[in-house]
Amino acid sequence: MPAPERIPPRSVTTHGGVLELLTLGEITVRGRIREASNAALYCSVALDGREAHCVYKPVAGERPLWDFPDGTLARREVAAYELSEATGWGLVPPTVLRDGPYGEGMCQMWIEADPARSLLALVDGDEPDDGWKAVGLAEVGEGRPALLVHADDPGLRRLAVLDAVINNGDRKGGHLLPTPDGHLYAIDHGVTFHVEDRLRTLLWGWAGEPLTEEALGVLEALDASLGGESPLAGRLAELITRDEASAVRDRVRALRKSARHPEPAGNWPAIPWPPV
């Protein structure tokens, strides 16, 4: 019997059958990701001689949150993927909602990050070096302060815009997966799409700066695609509430109007904890 075709990580945006594989393939649980706050299972998924690794997060394993309805985190993860695809940036790995070994949950393509690519750092001094953006001061032991910085990277800047659109309340360093070919993926989007401003992120380096022309063009296209009976609007209606979907379009329009990266609102912690 021939070995299954392994789908390489970078092909997630180019291989036409990836969503079919994730949706219809047989899931085999290989282990548990212990660092995750909710149940997250490392799995393989196989269909018609094709096989890939994935993450399966069953709804049954979601811990209740005081500010989100129970049992909705998996759908928010899928909605984040749909918004990412609508931007054309491909920042979120292919993600589907499906039944699995422990009931309904989200299934997402596994991405192997490149450990040699550094996007976050703690440095001495008050100003970042060239190629880096300052986030803020942090204590690194014995009361010694250090400057938290992130790379001045085009992929990160695109992600900062996407996070503002989906109102990401938990953008940590461990959610950033740069790949050896230079692409950037981002994961863990369960705490998103709240109707109130809940943006918490490590990507504040561009706060208050003008949005790029590329970002403004993407936001214009998003604004148009979120209206009426569009496929994107219909898909979001299946995943989040009407008020949450309306808030997405409001945030897109607010970003277009200001034409700047958002700044911390001050009524909510700006940086998630723990930050990594």
Side-chain angles (χ1 to χ4, degrees):
M1 182 177 181
E5 174 196 359
R6 292 280 184 175
I7 299 178
R10 186 64 187 99
S11 71
V12 294
T13 57
T14 58
H15 195 290
V18 169
L19 292 179
E20 179 187 37
L21 175 61
L22 292 175
T23 303
L24 302 177
E26 181 180 0
I27 294 177
T28 301
V29 177
R30 304 296 183 184
R32 182 172 183 178
I33 303 171
R34 297 189 179 277
E35 298 84 1
S37 56
N38 296 290
L41 305 175
Y42 176 65
C43 305
S44 62
V45 58
L47 178 70
D48 297 335
R50 292 172 293 147
E51 185 176 76
H53 291 134
C54 65
V55 176
Y56 163 55
K57 296 183 180 179
V59 172
E62 294 179 5
R63 296 180 180 179
L65 298 174
W66 68 270
D67 52 348
F68 285 87
D70 292 348
T72 66
L73 304 191
R75 291 175 179 269
R76 296 173 193 279
E77 296 243 28
V78 180
Y81 166 69
E82 297 288 350
L83 258 296
S84 169
E85 287 299 285
T87 65
W89 288 333
L91 292 167
V92 179
T95 312
V96 302
L97 190 71
R98 61 162 292 174
D99 195 35
Y102 299 102
E104 184 180 74
M106 83 86 170
C107 184
Q108 183 177 81
M109 191 79 171
W110 178 266
I111 301 296
E112 290 287 351
D114 180 2
R117 287 186 62 194
S118 178
L119 298 175
L120 295 167
L122 286 168
V123 299
D124 293 326
D126 298 326
E127 296 293 333
D129 293 334
D130 290 343
W132 295 86
K133 305 289 286 187
V135 179
L137 292 174
E139 285 193 9
V140 293
E142 299 181 354
R144 184 170 69 87
L147 186 65
L148 177 62
V149 298
H150 64 67
D152 189 3
D153 177 85
L156 280 184
R157 191 165 190 174
R158 291 169 175 171
L159 183 59
V161 175
L162 178 65
D163 280 343
V165 170
I166 66 176
N167 199 16
N168 192 349
D170 194 34
R171 174 58 71 216
K172 297 177 180 177
H175 301 166
L176 307 175
L177 303 180
T179 59
D181 64 359
H183 194 71
L184 172 69
Y185 292 101
I187 59 171
D188 286 347
H189 297 100
V191 188
T192 50
F193 296 102
H194 202 287
V195 295
E196 299 175 3
D197 182 8
R198 296 293 176 86
L199 185 60
R200 293 197 302 175
T201 177
L202 289 179
L203 304 181
W204 288 116
W206 298 282
E209 293 187 15
L211 293 168
T212 64
E213 289 298 320
E214 178 196 42
L216 289 171
V218 165
L219 291 169
E220 181 180 5
L222 269 184
D223 195 355
S225 65
L226 285 167
E229 303 298 323
S230 71
L232 179 60
R235 184 66 178 127
L236 290 182
E238 299 171 355
L239 299 167
I240 57 178
T241 69
R242 180 179 299 179
D243 287 346
E244 288 167 344
S246 178
V248 172
R249 199 173 192 193
D250 289 344
R251 288 191 293 271
V252 168
R253 290 178 170 177
L255 286 168
R256 292 185 64 195
K257 183 177 180 180
S258 72
R260 292 182 177 275
H261 286 272
E263 299 181 83
N267 58 349
W268 185 254
I271 296 177
W273 184 263
V276 177

